[in-house]
Amino acid sequence: MSGPDEFSLLFVDDEGDFLATIDEFFTSLGYKVCTAHNGQEALLRVKEHLPNAVFLDISMPQMDGTETLRLIHEIDTEIQVIVVSGYASEDLARDLLKHGACDFFQKPVDLTRLRETIERLRTLQDLKSVGEQSPCGFEPRLRYQIKTRGYKAT
């Protein structure tokens, strides 16, 4: 399994204090962290660093999170995008999940729950890379472990 330092994160939010807090929290856990203050800056960071996961605010000036999500997936469809908003409706959240977001958080964000989500994404990526390395896909024992943890193995 890869360590946190091998799993890079990009946090995109127009609130500087929030970015500073989140950067400090995940850096202290050993993750490689990048931040961006808007959608345009996020796209530059994605191209530069190709993060494993992006934590994306929806309500930002210039380019909103919905457009940023679409453009991130034009760069790389494998990047996991977690959407956050203080104002989004359930309909918007469902729509974003349909369009490629892997999870949705309402502000204020519970850092423990966010850490658990990122650890789950890291585990899934590790399991996927093991499956890609095996000529037969996932081995039966690994399939069993995946299913017992509540994930689907194909």
Side-chain angles (χ1 to χ4, degrees):
M1 177 182 277
S2 68
D5 59 336
E6 297 171 18
F7 193 84
S8 60
L9 306 171
L10 170 61
F11 292 93
V12 186
D13 200 298
D14 58 339
E15 296 176 30
D17 290 344
F18 175 74
L19 283 179
T21 300
I22 213 96
D23 185 354
E24 182 180 329
F25 179 75
F26 282 99
T27 299
S28 73
L29 295 173
Y31 286 93
K32 179 181 174 190
V33 177
C34 295
T35 60
H37 294 89
N38 58 55
Q40 292 165 331
E41 190 179 337
L43 296 175
L44 291 174
R45 298 284 181 272
V46 167
K47 289 175 184 175
E48 290 170 359
H49 304 287
L50 284 177
N52 299 100
V54 175
F55 184 79
L56 180 64
D57 188 18
I58 290 300
S59 303
M60 295 183 294
Q62 299 168 359
M63 181 189 305
D64 71 7
T66 304
E67 178 69 4
T68 305
L69 169 65
R70 185 183 68 75
L71 294 171
I72 286 171
H73 280 155
E74 281 184 14
I75 295 168
D76 186 344
T77 57
E78 295 295 312
I79 296 173
Q80 301 295 310
V81 179
I82 301 165
V83 176
V84 64
S85 179
Y87 312 103
S89 67
E90 285 185 34
D91 290 338
L92 176 60
R94 270 192 296 277
D95 189 52
L96 291 166
L97 292 170
K98 276 195 256 182
H99 288 92
C102 67
D103 206 342
F104 178 83
F105 280 79
Q106 192 78 23
K107 283 186 177 179
V109 175
D110 177 343
L111 290 178
T112 301
R113 187 171 153 244
L114 178 59
R115 185 189 78 231
E116 291 167 356
T117 298
I118 289 172
E119 288 172 358
R120 178 175 45 89
L121 291 175
R122 192 181 85 228
T123 299
L124 287 172
Q125 178 179 305
D126 289 342
L127 293 173
K128 181 179 176 188
S129 68
V130 167
E132 289 171 352
Q133 293 169 7
S134 170
C136 301
F138 289 114
E139 300 299 327
R141 188 178 327 151
L142 187 55
R143 259 185 214 282
Y144 174 76
Q145 289 175 350
I146 292 168
K147 286 182 180 179
T148 59
R149 292 182 183 174
Y151 304 116
K152 290 184 179 181
T154 56

